[in-house]
Coordinates of all heavy atoms in Angstrom, one line a residue:
M17 N -3.3 -24.2 29.5 CA -2.3 -23.8 28.4 C -1.5 -25.0 28.0 O -1.1 -25.2 26.8 CB -1.4 -22.7 29.0 CG -0.9 -21.7 28.0 SD 0.1 -20.5 28.7 CE -1.0 -19.1 28.9
Y18 N -1.1 -25.8 29.0 CA -0.3 -27.0 28.7 C -0.9 -28.2 29.3 O -2.1 -28.2 29.5 CB 1.1 -26.8 29.3 CG 1.9 -25.6 28.8 CD1 1.9 -24.4 29.6 CD2 2.5 -25.6 27.5 CE1 2.5 -23.3 29.1 CE2 3.1 -24.5 27.1 CZ 3.1 -23.3 27.8 OH 3.7 -22.2 27.4
G19 N -0.2 -29.3 29.5 CA -0.8 -30.5 30.1 C -1.1 -31.5 29.1 O -2.0 -32.4 29.3
Y20 N -0.4 -31.5 27.9 CA -0.6 -32.4 26.9 C 0.6 -33.3 26.8 O 1.6 -33.1 27.4 CB -0.9 -31.8 25.5 CG 0.0 -30.6 25.2 CD1 1.3 -30.9 24.7 CD2 -0.4 -29.3 25.5 CE1 2.2 -29.8 24.4 CE2 0.5 -28.2 25.2 CZ 1.7 -28.5 24.7 OH 2.6 -27.5 24.4
K21 N 0.5 -34.4 25.9 CA 1.6 -35.3 25.8 C 2.7 -34.7 25.0 O 2.5 -34.0 24.1 CB 1.0 -36.6 25.0 CG 2.0 -37.8 25.0 CD 1.4 -38.9 24.2 CE 2.5 -39.8 23.8 NZ 3.6 -39.2 23.0
C22 N 3.9 -35.0 25.4 CA 5.1 -34.5 24.8 C 5.2 -35.1 23.4 O 4.9 -36.2 23.1 CB 6.4 -34.9 25.6 SG 7.9 -34.5 24.8
E23 N 5.7 -34.3 22.4 CA 5.8 -34.8 21.1 C 7.1 -35.6 20.8 O 7.3 -36.2 19.8 CB 5.8 -33.6 20.1 CG 6.8 -32.5 20.2 CD 6.7 -31.4 19.2 OE1 6.8 -31.8 18.0 OE2 6.5 -30.3 19.5
Y24 N 8.0 -35.6 21.8 CA 9.2 -36.4 21.7 C 9.3 -37.6 22.5 O 10.1 -38.5 22.2 CB 10.4 -35.5 22.0 CG 10.5 -34.3 21.2 CD1 10.2 -33.0 21.6 CD2 10.9 -34.4 19.8 CE1 10.2 -31.9 20.8 CE2 11.0 -33.3 19.0 CZ 10.6 -32.0 19.5 OH 10.7 -30.9 18.7
C25 N 8.5 -37.7 23.5 CA 8.5 -38.9 24.4 C 7.1 -39.2 25.0 O 6.2 -38.5 24.6 CB 9.6 -38.8 25.5 SG 9.1 -37.7 26.8
D26 N 7.0 -40.1 25.9 CA 5.7 -40.4 26.5 C 5.4 -39.5 27.7 O 4.4 -39.7 28.4 CB 5.6 -41.9 26.9 CG 5.5 -42.8 25.7 OD1 5.0 -42.3 24.7 OD2 6.0 -43.9 25.8
G27 N 6.2 -38.5 28.0 CA 6.0 -37.6 29.2 C 4.8 -36.7 28.9 O 4.3 -36.6 27.8
I28 N 4.5 -35.9 30.0 CA 3.5 -34.9 29.9 C 4.2 -33.5 30.0 O 5.0 -33.3 30.9 CB 2.5 -35.0 31.1 CG1 1.8 -36.4 31.0 CG2 1.4 -33.9 31.0 CD1 0.9 -36.6 29.9
V29 N 3.7 -32.6 29.1 CA 4.2 -31.2 29.2 C 3.5 -30.5 30.2 O 2.3 -30.3 30.1 CB 4.1 -30.6 27.8 CG1 4.5 -29.1 27.8 CG2 4.9 -31.3 26.7
R30 N 4.2 -30.0 31.3 CA 3.5 -29.3 32.4 C 3.9 -27.9 32.4 O 5.0 -27.5 32.0 CB 3.9 -30.0 33.7 CG 3.5 -31.5 33.8 CD 3.6 -32.1 35.1 NE 3.4 -33.5 35.1 CZ 2.2 -34.1 35.1 NH1 1.1 -33.4 35.1 NH2 2.1 -35.4 35.0
Q31 N 3.0 -27.1 32.9 CA 3.2 -25.6 33.0 C 4.2 -25.3 34.1 O 4.1 -25.9 35.2 CB 1.9 -24.9 33.2 CG 2.1 -23.4 33.2 CD 0.8 -22.6 33.2 OE1 -0.1 -23.0 32.4 NE2 0.7 -21.5 33.9
R32 N 5.1 -24.4 33.8 CA 6.1 -24.0 34.8 C 6.3 -22.5 34.6 O 6.6 -22.1 33.4 CB 7.4 -24.7 34.7 CG 8.4 -24.3 35.8 CD 9.8 -24.8 35.5 NE 9.9 -26.2 35.5 CZ 11.0 -26.9 35.2 NH1 12.1 -26.2 34.8 NH2 11.1 -28.2 35.2
T33 N 6.2 -21.7 35.6 CA 6.4 -20.2 35.4 C 7.9 -20.0 35.7 O 8.3 -20.3 36.8 CB 5.5 -19.4 36.3 OG1 4.1 -19.7 35.9 CG2 5.7 -17.9 36.1
V34 N 8.6 -19.4 34.7 CA 10.0 -19.1 34.9 C 10.2 -17.6 35.0 O 9.5 -16.9 34.4 CB 10.9 -19.8 33.8 CG1 10.8 -21.3 33.9 CG2 10.4 -19.3 32.4
E35 N 11.3 -17.3 35.7 CA 11.6 -15.8 35.8 C 11.9 -15.2 34.5 O 11.4 -14.1 34.3 CB 12.9 -15.7 36.7 CG 12.5 -15.4 38.2 CD 13.8 -15.3 39.0 OE1 14.6 -14.4 38.6 OE2 13.9 -16.0 40.0
R36 N 12.7 -15.8 33.7 CA 12.9 -15.3 32.3 C 13.3 -16.4 31.4 O 13.9 -17.4 31.7 CB 14.0 -14.2 32.4 CG 15.2 -14.6 33.1 CD 16.4 -13.6 32.9 NE 16.0 -12.2 32.8 CZ 16.7 -11.3 32.2 NH1 17.9 -11.6 31.7 NH2 16.3 -10.1 32.1
E37 N 12.8 -16.1 30.1 CA 13.1 -17.1 29.0 C 13.5 -16.3 27.8 O 12.8 -15.3 27.5 CB 11.9 -17.9 28.8 CG 12.0 -19.1 27.8 CD 12.6 -20.3 28.4 OE1 13.0 -20.3 29.6 OE2 12.8 -21.3 27.7
A38 N 14.6 -16.7 27.2 CA 15.1 -15.9 26.0 C 14.5 -16.6 24.7 O 14.6 -17.8 24.6 CB 16.6 -15.9 26.0
F39 N 14.0 -15.8 23.8 CA 13.5 -16.3 22.5 C 14.3 -15.7 21.4 O 14.6 -14.5 21.4 CB 12.0 -16.0 22.3 CG 11.1 -16.6 23.4 CD1 11.0 -16.0 24.6 CD2 10.4 -17.7 23.1 CE1 10.1 -16.5 25.5 CE2 9.6 -18.3 24.0 CZ 9.4 -17.7 25.2
K40 N 14.7 -16.6 20.5 CA 15.4 -16.1 19.3 C 14.5 -15.9 18.2 O 13.9 -16.8 17.6 CB 16.5 -17.1 18.9 CG 17.5 -16.6 17.9 CD 18.7 -17.7 17.9 CE 19.6 -17.3 16.8 NZ 19.1 -17.5 15.4
H41 N 14.2 -14.6 17.8 CA 13.4 -14.3 16.7 C 14.2 -13.9 15.5 O 15.4 -13.4 15.8 CB 12.5 -13.1 17.1 CG 11.4 -12.8 16.1 ND1 11.6 -11.9 15.1 CD2 10.1 -13.2 16.0 CE1 10.5 -11.8 14.4 NE2 9.6 -12.5 14.9
R42 N 13.8 -14.0 14.3 CA 14.6 -13.6 13.1 C 15.0 -12.1 13.2 O 16.0 -11.7 12.6 CB 13.9 -14.0 11.8 CG 12.6 -13.3 11.6 CD 11.9 -13.7 10.3 NE 10.7 -13.0 10.1 CZ 9.5 -13.3 10.8 NH1 9.5 -14.3 11.6 NH2 8.4 -12.5 10.6
A43 N 14.2 -11.3 13.9 CA 14.4 -9.9 14.0 C 15.3 -9.6 15.3 O 15.6 -8.4 15.5 CB 13.1 -9.1 14.0
G44 N 15.6 -10.6 16.1 CA 16.4 -10.3 17.2 C 15.9 -11.1 18.5 O 14.9 -11.8 18.4
F45 N 16.7 -11.0 19.5 CA 16.3 -11.7 20.8 C 15.3 -11.0 21.5 O 15.3 -9.7 21.6 CB 17.6 -11.9 21.7 CG 18.5 -13.0 21.2 CD1 19.6 -12.6 20.5 CD2 18.2 -14.3 21.4 CE1 20.5 -13.6 20.0 CE2 19.1 -15.3 21.0 CZ 20.2 -14.9 20.3
V46 N 14.4 -11.7 22.2 CA 13.4 -11.1 23.0 C 13.3 -12.0 24.3 O 13.4 -13.2 24.3 CB 11.9 -11.2 22.4 CG1 10.9 -10.7 23.4 CG2 11.9 -10.3 21.1
I47 N 13.4 -11.3 25.5 CA 13.3 -12.0 26.7 C 11.9 -11.7 27.4 O 11.5 -10.6 27.5 CB 14.4 -11.5 27.7 CG1 15.8 -11.9 27.2 CG2 14.2 -12.1 29.1 CD1 16.9 -11.3 27.9
L48 N 11.2 -12.8 27.7 CA 9.9 -12.7 28.4 C 10.2 -13.0 29.9 O 10.9 -14.0 30.2 CB 8.9 -13.6 27.9 CG 8.5 -13.4 26.4 CD1 7.3 -14.3 26.1 CD2 8.1 -12.0 26.1
E49 N 9.6 -12.2 30.8 CA 9.8 -12.5 32.2 C 8.5 -13.0 32.9 O 7.4 -12.6 32.4 CB 10.3 -11.2 32.9 CG 11.7 -10.9 32.5 CD 12.3 -9.7 33.3 OE1 11.5 -8.8 33.7 OE2 13.5 -9.7 33.4
N50 N 8.7 -13.8 33.9 CA 7.5 -14.3 34.6 C 6.5 -14.9 33.7 O 5.4 -14.6 33.6 CB 6.8 -13.1 35.4 CG 5.8 -13.6 36.3 OD1 5.9 -14.7 36.9 ND2 4.7 -12.9 36.5
V51 N 7.1 -15.9 32.9 CA 6.3 -16.4 31.8 C 6.0 -17.9 32.0 O 6.9 -18.7 32.4 CB 7.1 -16.2 30.5 CG1 8.5 -16.8 30.5 CG2 6.3 -16.6 29.3
P52 N 4.8 -18.3 31.7 CA 4.4 -19.7 31.8 C 4.8 -20.5 30.6 O 4.2 -20.4 29.5 CB 2.9 -19.7 32.0 CG 2.4 -18.4 31.3 CD 3.6 -17.5 31.4
I53 N 5.8 -21.4 30.8 CA 6.3 -22.2 29.7 C 5.9 -23.6 30.0 O 5.5 -24.0 31.1 CB 7.8 -22.1 29.4 CG1 8.6 -22.7 30.6 CG2 8.2 -20.7 29.2 CD1 10.0 -22.9 30.3
G54 N 6.0 -24.5 29.0 CA 5.7 -25.9 29.1 C 7.0 -26.7 29.2 O 7.8 -26.5 28.4
V55 N 7.1 -27.6 30.2 CA 8.3 -28.4 30.3 C 7.9 -29.8 30.4 O 7.1 -30.2 31.3 CB 9.2 -28.0 31.5 CG1 10.4 -28.8 31.6 CG2 9.5 -26.5 31.4
C56 N 8.4 -30.7 29.6 CA 8.1 -32.1 29.7 C 8.7 -32.7 31.0 O 9.8 -32.5 31.3 CB 8.7 -32.9 28.5 SG 8.5 -34.7 28.6
D57 N 7.8 -33.5 31.7 CA 8.2 -34.0 33.0 C 9.2 -35.2 32.9 O 9.7 -35.7 33.8 CB 7.0 -34.3 33.9 CG 6.1 -35.4 33.3 OD1 6.5 -36.0 32.2 OD2 5.1 -35.7 33.8
T58 N 9.4 -35.6 31.6 CA 10.3 -36.8 31.4 C 11.6 -36.4 30.7 O 12.7 -36.6 31.2 CB 9.6 -37.9 30.6 OG1 8.4 -38.2 31.3 CG2 10.4 -39.1 30.4
C59 N 11.5 -35.7 29.5 CA 12.7 -35.4 28.8 C 13.1 -34.0 28.9 O 14.2 -33.6 28.5 CB 12.5 -35.8 27.3 SG 11.4 -34.6 26.4
G60 N 12.3 -33.1 29.6 CA 12.7 -31.7 29.8 C 12.5 -30.8 28.6 O 12.9 -29.7 28.7
N61 N 12.0 -31.3 27.5 CA 11.7 -30.5 26.4 C 10.9 -29.3 26.7 O 9.9 -29.4 27.4 CB 11.1 -31.3 25.3 CG 10.8 -30.5 24.0 OD1 11.7 -29.9 23.5 ND2 9.6 -30.5 23.6
R62 N 11.3 -28.1 26.2 CA 10.5 -26.9 26.5 C 9.5 -26.6 25.4 O 9.9 -26.7 24.2 CB 11.4 -25.7 26.7 CG 12.2 -25.8 28.0 CD 13.4 -24.9 27.9 NE 13.4 -23.8 28.9 CZ 13.6 -23.9 30.2 NH1 13.9 -25.1 30.7 NH2 13.6 -22.8 30.9
C63 N 8.3 -26.3 25.7 CA 7.3 -25.9 24.7 C 6.8 -24.5 25.0 O 6.7 -24.1 26.2 CB 6.1 -26.9 24.8 SG 6.5 -28.5 24.3
Y64 N 6.4 -23.8 24.0 CA 5.9 -22.5 24.2 C 4.5 -22.3 23.6 O 4.3 -22.7 22.4 CB 6.8 -21.5 23.5 CG 8.2 -21.6 24.0 CD1 9.3 -21.9 23.1 CD2 8.5 -21.4 25.3 CE1 10.6 -22.0 23.6 CE2 9.8 -21.5 25.8 CZ 10.8 -21.8 25.0 OH 12.1 -21.9 25.4
H65 N 3.5 -21.9 24.4 CA 2.2 -21.7 23.9 C 2.2 -20.6 22.8 O 3.0 -19.7 22.9 CB 1.3 -21.3 25.1 CG -0.2 -21.2 24.8 ND1 -0.8 -20.0 24.5 CD2 -1.1 -22.1 24.7 CE1 -2.1 -20.2 24.2 NE2 -2.3 -21.5 24.4
A66 N 1.2 -20.7 21.9 CA 1.2 -19.7 20.8 C 1.1 -18.3 21.3 O 1.6 -17.3 20.7 CB -0.1 -20.0 19.9
S67 N 0.5 -18.0 22.5 CA 0.3 -16.7 23.0 C 1.7 -16.1 23.3 O 1.9 -14.9 23.2 CB -0.6 -16.6 24.2 OG -0.1 -17.4 25.3
L68 N 2.6 -16.9 23.8 CA 4.0 -16.5 24.1 C 4.7 -16.1 22.8 O 5.4 -15.0 22.7 CB 4.8 -17.6 24.7 CG 4.7 -17.8 26.3 CD1 3.3 -18.0 26.7 CD2 5.6 -19.0 26.7
L69 N 4.6 -16.9 21.8 CA 5.3 -16.7 20.5 C 4.7 -15.4 19.8 O 5.4 -14.7 19.2 CB 5.1 -17.9 19.6 CG 5.7 -19.2 20.2 CD1 5.5 -20.4 19.3 CD2 7.2 -19.0 20.5
R70 N 3.4 -15.2 20.0 CA 2.7 -14.0 19.5 C 3.3 -12.7 20.2 O 3.6 -11.7 19.5 CB 1.2 -14.0 19.7 CG 0.4 -13.1 18.8 CD -1.1 -13.3 19.0 NE -1.5 -14.7 19.0 CZ -2.2 -15.3 20.0 NH1 -2.6 -14.6 21.0 NH2 -2.5 -16.6 19.9
R71 N 3.5 -12.8 21.5 CA 4.1 -11.7 22.2 C 5.5 -11.4 21.7 O 5.9 -10.3 21.5 CB 4.1 -12.0 23.7 CG 4.8 -10.9 24.6 CD 4.0 -9.7 24.6 NE 2.8 -9.8 25.3 CZ 2.6 -9.6 26.7 NH1 3.6 -9.1 27.3 NH2 1.5 -9.8 27.2
V72 N 6.3 -12.5 21.5 CA 7.7 -12.3 21.0 C 7.7 -11.7 19.7 O 8.5 -10.8 19.4 CB 8.4 -13.7 21.0 CG1 9.7 -13.6 20.2 CG2 8.6 -14.3 22.4
E73 N 6.8 -12.1 18.8 CA 6.7 -11.6 17.5 C 6.3 -10.1 17.5 O 6.9 -9.2 16.8 CB 5.5 -12.3 16.7 CG 5.1 -11.7 15.4 CD 6.0 -12.1 14.3 OE1 6.8 -13.1 14.4 OE2 6.0 -11.5 13.2
E74 N 5.4 -9.7 18.4 CA 5.0 -8.3 18.5 C 6.1 -7.4 19.0 O 6.3 -6.3 18.5 CB 3.8 -8.2 19.5 CG 2.5 -8.7 19.0 CD 1.4 -8.8 20.0 OE1 1.7 -8.5 21.2 OE2 0.3 -9.1 19.7
I75 N 6.9 -7.9 20.0 CA 8.0 -7.1 20.5 C 9.1 -7.0 19.5 O 9.6 -5.9 19.2 CB 8.6 -7.8 21.8 CG1 7.5 -7.9 22.9 CG2 9.8 -7.1 22.3 CD1 7.2 -6.6 23.6
A76 N 9.4 -8.2 18.9 CA 10.6 -8.2 17.9 C 10.3 -7.3 16.7 O 11.2 -6.7 16.1 CB 10.8 -9.6 17.5
T77 N 9.0 -7.2 16.3 CA 8.7 -6.4 15.1 C 8.2 -5.0 15.5 O 7.7 -4.3 14.6 CB 7.6 -7.2 14.2 OG1 6.5 -7.4 15.1 CG2 8.1 -8.5 13.7
R78 N 8.4 -4.7 16.7 CA 8.1 -3.3 17.2 C 6.6 -2.9 17.1 O 6.3 -1.7 16.9 CB 9.0 -2.3 16.6 CG 10.4 -2.7 16.8 CD 11.4 -1.8 16.1 NE 12.8 -2.3 16.2 CZ 13.8 -1.5 16.4 NH1 13.7 -0.2 16.4 NH2 15.0 -2.0 16.5
R79 N 5.8 -3.9 17.2 CA 4.3 -3.5 17.2 C 3.8 -3.4 18.6 O 2.7 -3.0 18.9 CB 3.5 -4.6 16.5 CG 3.5 -4.4 14.9 CD 2.7 -5.4 14.2 NE 3.4 -6.7 14.2 CZ 2.8 -7.8 14.6 NH1 1.6 -7.8 15.1 NH2 3.5 -9.0 14.6
R80 N 4.7 -3.8 19.6 CA 4.4 -3.6 21.0 C 5.6 -3.1 21.7 O 6.8 -3.5 21.4 CB 4.0 -5.0 21.5 CG 3.5 -5.0 23.0 CD 3.3 -6.4 23.4 NE 2.7 -6.5 24.8 CZ 1.5 -6.7 25.1 NH1 0.6 -7.0 24.1 NH2 1.1 -6.7 26.3
I81 N 5.4 -2.2 22.7 CA 6.5 -1.6 23.4 C 7.0 -2.5 24.5 O 6.1 -2.8 25.4 CB 6.1 -0.2 23.9 CG1 5.5 0.7 22.8 CG2 7.3 0.5 24.6 CD1 6.4 1.1 21.7
P82 N 8.2 -2.8 24.6 CA 8.7 -3.6 25.7 C 8.8 -2.8 27.0 O 8.9 -1.6 26.9 CB 10.1 -4.1 25.3 CG 10.5 -3.1 24.3 CD 9.3 -2.5 23.7
E83 N 8.8 -3.5 28.2 CA 8.9 -2.7 29.4 C 10.3 -2.1 29.5 O 10.4 -1.0 30.1 CB 8.8 -3.7 30.6 CG 7.3 -3.8 31.2 CD 6.4 -4.5 30.2 OE1 6.8 -5.4 29.4 OE2 5.2 -4.1 30.1
R84 N 11.3 -2.7 29.1 CA 12.6 -2.1 29.1 C 13.5 -2.9 28.1 O 13.2 -3.9 27.6 CB 13.2 -2.2 30.5 CG 13.4 -3.6 31.0 CD 14.0 -3.6 32.4 NE 14.6 -4.9 32.7 CZ 13.9 -5.9 33.1 NH1 12.6 -5.8 33.3 NH2 14.4 -7.1 33.3
M85 N 14.7 -2.3 27.8 CA 15.7 -2.9 26.9 C 16.9 -3.3 27.7 O 17.3 -2.7 28.7 CB 16.1 -1.9 25.9 CG 15.0 -1.3 25.0 SD 14.3 -2.5 23.8 CE 15.7 -2.5 22.6
E86 N 17.6 -4.4 27.3 CA 18.8 -4.8 27.9 C 19.9 -4.9 26.8 O 19.6 -5.3 25.7 CB 18.7 -6.2 28.6 CG 17.9 -6.0 29.9 CD 17.9 -7.4 30.7 OE1 18.6 -8.3 30.3 OE2 17.2 -7.4 31.7
M87 N 21.1 -4.6 27.2 CA 22.2 -4.8 26.2 C 22.7 -6.2 26.2 O 22.7 -6.9 27.3 CB 23.3 -3.9 26.5 CG 22.9 -2.4 26.3 SD 24.3 -1.2 26.2 CE 25.6 -2.0 27.0
V88 N 23.0 -6.8 25.1 CA 23.5 -8.2 25.0 C 24.9 -8.1 24.5 O 25.3 -7.5 23.5 CB 22.7 -9.0 24.0 CG1 23.2 -10.4 23.8 CG2 21.2 -9.0 24.4
P89 N 25.9 -8.7 25.3 CA 27.3 -8.7 24.8 C 27.5 -9.5 23.5 O 26.9 -10.6 23.4 CB 28.0 -9.4 26.0 CG 27.0 -9.8 27.0 CD 25.7 -9.5 26.5
V90 N 28.3 -9.0 22.7 CA 28.6 -9.6 21.4 C 30.1 -9.8 21.3 O 30.9 -8.9 21.6 CB 28.1 -8.8 20.2 CG1 28.5 -9.5 18.9 CG2 26.6 -8.6 20.3
S91 N 30.6 -11.0 20.8 CA 32.0 -11.2 20.6 C 32.2 -11.9 19.3 O 31.5 -12.9 19.0 CB 32.6 -12.0 21.8 OG 33.9 -12.3 21.5
V92 N 33.2 -11.4 18.5 CA 33.5 -12.0 17.2 C 34.5 -13.1 17.5 O 35.7 -12.8 17.9 CB 34.0 -11.0 16.2 CG1 34.3 -11.7 14.9 CG2 32.9 -9.9 15.9
F93 N 34.2 -14.4 17.3 CA 35.1 -15.5 17.6 C 35.9 -15.9 16.4 O 35.7 -16.9 15.8 CB 34.3 -16.6 18.2 CG 35.1 -17.8 18.7 CD1 35.7 -17.6 20.0 CD2 35.3 -18.9 18.0 CE1 36.5 -18.7 20.5 CE2 36.1 -19.9 18.5 CZ 36.7 -19.8 19.8
A94 N 36.9 -15.1 16.0 CA 37.7 -15.4 14.9 C 38.9 -14.5 14.9 O 38.8 -13.4 15.4 CB 37.0 -15.3 13.6
Ligands
ZN130 ZN1 9.2 -35.4 26.6

């Protein structure tokens, strides 16, 4: 899924499975859990495989049912 050269530096993007990663979609936030993301071993840049972004798109546009919902705190800073 990963293991290619970083687009920002000379490092290698390596796969790392993280407990949870938040994605900002135009239709709202989606959190994926136990998800294999790519992290550059030099600059730390995070990359997401197309299959992850497809899942986020499906959840955000309600074409796929999420396992559960979480409330997100909102504060108006003004
Ligand atoms: Zn890098």
Side-chain angles (χ1 to χ4, degrees):
M17 210 181 263
Y18 302 99
Y20 47 81
K21 192 184 158 302
C22 177
E23 59 179 298
Y24 300 105
C25 74
D26 287 331
I28 300 294
V29 176
R30 301 189 188 281
Q31 181 168 321
R32 182 195 296 173
T33 299
V34 295
E35 264 179 55
R36 47 168 37 204
E37 186 82 355
F39 295 83
K40 191 168 176 289
H41 185 274
R42 61 185 182 281
F45 283 99
V46 175
I47 293 170
L48 298 185
E49 291 185 332
N50 190 34
V51 59
I53 65 168
V55 181
C56 174
D57 62 6
T58 303
C59 74
N61 179 54
R62 288 161 114 79
C63 295
Y64 303 119
H65 187 262
S67 62
L68 275 54
L69 301 177
R70 200 175 312 127
R71 175 69 68 93
V72 168
E73 171 82 15
E74 286 172 355
I75 299 283
T77 57
R78 303 177 186 218
R79 277 180 288 125
R80 186 186 182 104
I81 309 294
E83 268 69 31
R84 60 179 200 279
M85 301 287 287
E86 285 187 7
M87 294 195 336
V88 178
V90 178
S91 175
V92 179
F93 188 78

